[in-house]
Amino acid sequence: MTGLSYPLAFNWNITLKSSDEMRNEGNATAYPVYRFRGDTDGITIKAGDSVMTYGGKTAADTELMIDTFTGEVRYGLSDRSYLLTSRDWITIPPKSAITPYVDFVASPETEGSLQVEVSWRDTYL
C-alpha cells in the first residue's frame, strides 16, 4: 500500500518525495486507487497531459476514493462518479513511471490538512 499526504509525500514501503515517481515495472498498465481525507472544495490530480478533477466538497471525516481501474468514485458509502468532471484516468503504463501532482481548493485554515493515500502494484499479464 502506498500513501500520499499533503504536503505531498509518496510512501510505498519506502518514503519518496512529491517529485518522485510512481513506478510500474510490470508488463501491463497499473491502475492506482487514490484515497483522500480533508476539507476541500474540489481536488485535481494531474500527470502529464492527463487530468482527473473531482468537483465536490470533501471533509476530513469522510474518505473520497477514486479507483482508476473500475472508474468508481465513492465519497463515504455514496457513489459520486457524477462529480468527477475530468476523467482522464491517470494510470501507470508498463515499464514506466508517472509523477502526479495533486491540487485542491481549501480555506487557509485547512489547506495543509489534505491526506492522500495512493495504492498500486507492478502489474503483469
Side-chain angles (χ1 to χ4, degrees):
M1 171 126 11
T2 302
L4 174 66
S5 60
Y6 189 88
L8 299 180
F10 291 95
N11 297 303
W12 189 26
N13 301 327
I14 57 171
T15 300
L16 303 172
K17 300 199 182 333
S18 63
S19 61
D20 288 341
E21 303 170 327
M22 293 169 52
R23 180 165 293 285
N24 174 16
E25 294 298 335
N27 63 3
T29 300
Y31 295 87
V33 175
Y34 298 85
R35 298 177 187 277
F36 300 88
R37 282 190 181 270
D39 297 314
T40 75
D41 288 328
I43 298 170
T44 298
I45 308 168
K46 299 176 184 177
D49 293 333
S50 297
V51 178
M52 293 187 314
T53 300
Y54 177 79
K57 292 181 181 271
T58 63
D61 62 350
T62 305
E63 180 182 89
L64 170 68
M65 185 272 304
I66 301 173
D67 185 329
T68 62
F69 182 74
T70 65
E72 181 179 20
V73 179
R74 294 194 93 46
Y75 183 64
L77 298 175
S78 302
D79 179 4
R80 291 292 192 263
S81 300
Y82 65 94
L83 290 173
L84 199 63
T85 58
S86 297
R87 296 173 184 260
D88 296 336
W89 299 115
I90 297 174
T91 59
I92 311 169
K95 300 288 184 197
S96 66
I98 63 171
T99 305
Y101 171 78
V102 176
D103 191 15
F104 63 99
V105 179
S107 69
E109 302 83 44
T110 61
E111 68 182 10
S113 67
L114 181 66
Q115 296 177 340
V116 185
E117 180 179 285
V118 183
S119 57
W120 78 95
R121 290 187 168 88
D122 292 342
T123 306
Y124 297 88
L125 287 180

